[in-house]
Amino acid sequence: MSSVTVVGAGVIGLSVAHELAAAGHRVRVLADRPATASVSAVAAAIWFPHDVNRSAAVLDAAAVAYRRFEQLASDPATGVAMRPGTVMVRRADADTSWTRSIPSFSRTAAGVRCTVPLIQTDVYLSWLRATVLAMGVRIDAVSVTSLPEDSDAVVVAAGLGSAALLGDNDTFPIRGQVVRLANPGLTDWFTDEDNPDGLTYVVPRAADVVCGGTGEVGSWDEIPDPAIEAAILRRVHALVPELRGQPVLSRGVGLRPARSSVRVERVPGYARPVFACYGHGGAGFTLSWGDAARIAELIAQIN
């Protein structure tokens, strides 16, 4: 058993902590904010590799996470449910490589029809935190400005905050704005990445519908913009007329932690093992369990 410090308490950091604790390591998580106050909490959190380079490693990790979420969906306490929906396809050359990560799908006139995990973020993140605490993981609320030196290994899973800790100039934010409407009874989701008027998605949850969105590369603005919200609602109403007139329940902005490619590897140049697990863009939940398992494998190789 080794001691491992995980920097970051979003969905990636907590998933890594879970897999390391399950493997028998002593795990501590350091973060300046809880998962429920992180970008993870803003996400629509439907399984889909969005805003990420869909490499073979990414699709493999997505497949692992799909299977884990499918198992978790049997327990209502997790906040995970399997929901049918459509990924709209508007171009003949649209990238549908992600379909190899799911067990089944069908092609329709609108696009790709499939059933995928939908994660109710507040419920799931609270469940995941409680679960890792019950496994003996310690979670400390601290601001981390340098790599901790009091453990056998360190995993940097701090999203955009990872850049400063590891001197990585290849990370950048992608601003995503959402508005949450009352749910008139919708169950099916859809995403429309190639909508000519802008990225559009509708993700019904138990009591609301997450409507988006935006993909503003390089923007650090975390304040909801009323004009952007109005444009989102115009696109959403055009595609889902049932949402017209539904009251706004809440709104939010999240900065997706993007990179030219997801970084899951041992970082060279350190006297003791340091590992990177960040750069997931809009696919944090989608890749969480797969990349957490990969980090656990890499750490197992050094013991």
Side-chain angles (χ1 to χ4, degrees), residues 11-212:
V11 67
I12 298 296
L14 291 180
S15 300
V16 168
H18 183 286
E19 296 302 86
L20 292 176
H25 300 286
R26 296 190 305 275
V27 183
R28 175 183 61 168
V29 175
L30 304 179
D32 62 353
R33 65 177 73 177
T36 50
S38 70
V39 65
S40 298
V42 180
I46 189 166
W47 182 101
F48 188 74
H50 178 64
D51 272 346
V52 69
N53 182 3
R54 295 171 189 168
S55 65
V58 161
L59 296 179
D60 288 346
V64 171
Y66 183 102
R67 293 192 295 270
R68 179 69 70 90
F69 282 126
E70 190 174 36
Q71 295 168 354
L72 292 174
S74 64
D75 180 0
T78 66
V80 180
M82 301 300 293
R83 290 284 184 85
T86 300
V87 176
M88 298 183 72
V89 176
R90 293 176 179 266
R91 299 181 292 109
D93 62 345
D95 178 7
T96 58
S97 61
W98 57 272
T99 56
R100 80 169 178 84
S101 299
I102 60 178
S104 64
F105 64 92
S106 61
R107 298 188 183 275
T108 69
V112 178
R113 181 83 177 163
C114 56
T115 296
V116 302
L118 170 63
I119 299 96
Q120 181 89 22
T121 53
D122 54 345
V123 176
Y124 178 76
L125 292 171
S126 296
W127 169 84
L128 184 55
R129 183 180 189 275
T131 299
V132 299
L133 287 172
M135 297 172 74
V137 173
R138 195 174 101 201
I139 301 178
D140 294 336
V142 299
S143 179
V144 181
T145 57
S146 60
L147 294 181
E149 298 183 355
D150 55 351
S151 57
D152 297 325
V154 176
V155 181
V156 179
L160 287 170
S162 304
L165 292 173
L166 295 178
D168 186 348
N169 295 321
D170 192 23
T171 61
F172 54 92
I174 300 179
R175 182 183 184 275
Q177 180 168 328
V178 299
V179 54
R180 304 178 188 94
L181 304 179
N183 191 345
L186 302 179
T187 56
D188 282 23
W189 53 266
F190 79 79
T191 65
D192 188 2
E193 292 188 311
D194 293 320
N195 188 314
D197 294 324
L199 169 67
T200 308
Y201 52 86
V202 172
V203 181
R205 305 192 299 185
D208 63 8
V209 182
V210 182
C211 301

